[in-house]
Amino acid sequence: MEGFEQSITDPRYSQLLKRLTDELKQSSDWIPGVAEAFHSLLTATVKYAYYCYDVGRKMGGSYTEFLRLRDKDGKKQKVDEALFHQHYREYLASTALFRQVQSEVIDTAGGRADILFIFDAATFNVECKIEEDDASEASLRKYVAQASEYQNTGPGLAVLLALDKTVGAEGAVNLFESIWIERVQRAGESAPRLVVIVRIPGGRENPNQLRPAPPMT
C-alpha cells in the first residue's frame, strides 16, 4: 500500500509541502502535539487550494461559481467572506478534520474568528479574506496581523485564506507561487509568529478567453 501511494504522489505537491514544513519547523512552537495538528490543517488547506484551482464551472455547481466568471448573460454572484469560508468549511467536512472545525466563533481574542480548528493540544485560526484591489504578496501582508491575533493564547501559527478577485485576462498565478509564509514579529515578543498565506483565484475567465500580456520591451 505504501509503495502504491508513493507511486501516485504528485512530486510538486510533495515539494511544496516540504518547503512549507521546513520553514514552519523554524518556529519555537513547532513541538510535538502542535506540529502534527498544524501539519494536518496545512495539508487539508493545500488540497483545498488544488480543488479550487481545478474545479470547473459545472463540476462544482452554483456553489463554486464565485471561482469563475458567470455565463454569457453576465449574471453576477455576490460573494462575501461568509460564503467563502462556508465553502472552505464544507470542503473540510469531507476530510478527517470534520470534527475539529468550527466557524464564526465569537469572543475569540476580542473578535470573531472565521474558522477555528480545535485539537487536543492546540487551537488554530484560519482567517478568510476577499481581495478585490491588490492581491500581491506585499498587499496581502496587511491581513496577517489579524490572522495572528487569534493565536495570542496558543501557538504562533495561523493560516490566511485569500480569495483573489483581481485575476485578469492573462490568467491566475500558479498555485505553487500562491502559497507562502509571512512572519509577524511583534514588539515584546522574542520570536515571530508564522502565517501561511494561501491565495485562491476567483472570478476567472474561461481558459479559452485568456490572452498573453504584451511582450516586454
Side-chain angles (χ1 to χ4, degrees):
M1 179 66 72
E2 182 177 350
F4 174 74
E5 291 179 351
Q6 290 177 348
S7 72
I8 63 174
T9 299
D10 181 343
R12 292 204 70 189
Y13 167 79
S14 298
Q15 185 182 53
L16 171 62
L17 280 181
K18 183 179 185 305
R19 170 174 65 82
L20 295 170
T21 304
D22 286 347
E23 190 167 350
L24 290 168
K25 287 179 178 178
Q26 299 175 28
S27 169
S28 58
D29 287 332
W30 195 259
I31 56 179
V34 173
E36 295 85 354
F38 192 78
H39 192 268
S40 67
L41 165 57
L42 175 66
T43 301
T45 305
V46 170
K47 289 180 178 178
Y48 172 72
Y50 267 79
Y51 171 76
C52 289
Y53 265 81
D54 286 341
V55 68
R57 184 186 303 277
K58 296 181 179 179
M59 181 176 67
S62 61
Y63 194 52
T64 59
E65 283 182 345
F66 68 91
L67 296 172
R68 293 192 179 278
L69 289 181
R70 294 297 295 271
D71 57 27
K72 61 183 179 181
D73 295 330
K75 296 178 181 178
K76 287 268 189 176
Q77 181 186 39
K78 175 176 170 52
V79 181
D80 56 20
E81 289 177 5
L83 177 62
F84 182 35
H85 63 65
Q86 180 185 359
H87 179 240
Y88 174 61
R89 178 174 178 171
E90 288 297 323
Y91 174 86
L92 293 169
S94 64
T95 74
L97 298 178
F98 72 98
R99 291 187 181 277
Q100 274 67 50
V101 60
Q102 296 186 20
S103 59
E104 292 287 347
V105 181
I106 62 174
D107 294 333
T108 301
R112 174 179 296 182
D114 289 340
I115 301 286
L116 282 183
F117 287 82
I118 302 175
F119 297 90
D120 291 339
T123 298
F124 303 106
N125 166 62
V126 176
E127 186 67 19
C128 301
K129 293 295 182 183
I130 296 179
E131 181 54 53
E132 301 193 28
D133 299 317
D134 183 356
S136 65
E137 291 190 20
S139 177
L140 291 179
R141 195 176 192 283
K142 64 179 176 282
Y143 297 123
V144 298
Q146 181 179 352
S148 65
E149 180 72 7
Y150 293 112
Q151 297 301 131
N152 277 343
T153 60
L157 304 167
V159 174
L160 170 65
L161 203 60
L163 183 67
D164 177 9
K165 298 285 285 184
T166 72
V167 178
E170 299 172 33
V173 177
N174 73 77
L175 180 143
F176 302 96
E177 301 290 336
S178 293
I179 304 178
W180 68 93
I181 295 174
E182 290 282 355
R183 294 170 176 264
V184 182
Q185 181 66 63
R186 293 186 172 179
E189 294 185 352
S190 59
R193 307 181 191 190
L194 303 184
V195 178
V196 181
I197 297 183
V198 181
R199 181 173 55 200
I200 304 293
R204 291 170 288 166
E205 291 271 11
N206 285 340
N208 62 3
Q209 299 294 320
L210 300 181
R211 297 293 181 267
M216 298 182 64
T217 58

